[in-house]
């Protein structure tokens, strides 16, 4: 299943803008990024929490998309059940700098830790 991870140069649900050049740096040389169900306060993901891996990250227009492979784990089974019953979004978890430029919150020097499955863009 192919999913949208981010839209370059547009505000997301957290009112942050990921410039395309930042997202291009993120995917350069990456073959896959793991994730889990929900976001966590710490900037990390434990092996026991993993539910999926996102592969084949690429742009379609300004949309950064990737292919979800659900893992055969407890959280992978939870993700599978959730996808059958509701629409989920997939969002980056990571760290970087947010700078205000022309009144916009622009993400710079971003390093992803995971791409997590979330509800309502949260």
């Amino acid at each position: 299943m192919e999913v949208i991870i981010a839209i370059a140069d547009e505000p997301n649900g957290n009112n942050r803008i990921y410039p395309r050049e930042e997202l291009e740096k993120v995917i350069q040389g990456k073959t896959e990024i793991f994730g889990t169900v929900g976001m966590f306060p710490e900037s990390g993901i434990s092996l026991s929490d993993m539910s999926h891996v996102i592969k084949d990250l690429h742009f379609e227009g300004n949309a950064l998309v990737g292919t979800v492979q659900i893992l055969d784990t407890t959280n992978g089974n939870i993700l599978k059940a959730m996808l059958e019953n509701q629409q989920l979004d997939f969002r980056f978890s990571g760290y970087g700098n947010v700078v205000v430029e022309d009144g916009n919150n622009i993400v710079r020097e971003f390093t992803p830790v995971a791409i997590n499955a979330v509800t309502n863009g949260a």
Side-chain angles (χ1 to χ4, degrees):
M1 160 177 59
E2 196 167 84
V3 297
I4 296 174
I5 310 301
I7 306 293
D9 303 316
E10 292 185 17
N12 67 9
N14 293 331
N15 200 32
R16 293 183 183 145
I17 296 174
Y18 288 81
R20 185 177 177 116
E21 63 269 12
E22 284 294 323
L23 293 175
E24 287 173 346
K25 287 185 224 174
V26 164
I27 66 172
Q28 188 174 15
K30 295 257 192 248
T31 57
E32 58 191 26
I33 299 176
F34 288 88
T36 190
V37 178
M39 293 295 220
F40 297 94
E42 66 275 353
S43 291
I45 182 172
S46 70
L47 293 173
S48 62
D49 290 331
M50 290 182 187
S51 61
H52 62 277
V53 61
I54 306 286
K55 297 182 174 194
D56 187 33
L57 291 161
H58 63 280
F59 279 96
E60 292 181 9
N62 270 354
L64 177 61
V65 298
T67 302
V68 177
Q69 177 186 340
I70 298 175
L71 301 174
D72 187 18
T73 63
T74 300
N75 281 344
N77 292 332
I78 291 168
L79 176 60
K80 213 179 289 184
M82 290 178 77
L83 286 170
E84 290 175 6
N85 297 312
Q86 64 182 325
Q87 177 67 35
L88 296 176
D89 294 322
F90 288 81
R91 296 288 178 259
F92 280 117
S93 173
Y95 53 92
N97 297 317
V98 178
V99 296
V100 178
E101 296 176 10
D102 298 324
N104 295 306
N105 297 315
I106 310 295
V107 178
R108 300 279 184 208
E109 300 173 21
F110 181 68
T111 302
V113 174
I115 299 175
N116 297 321
V118 298
T119 58
N120 300 324

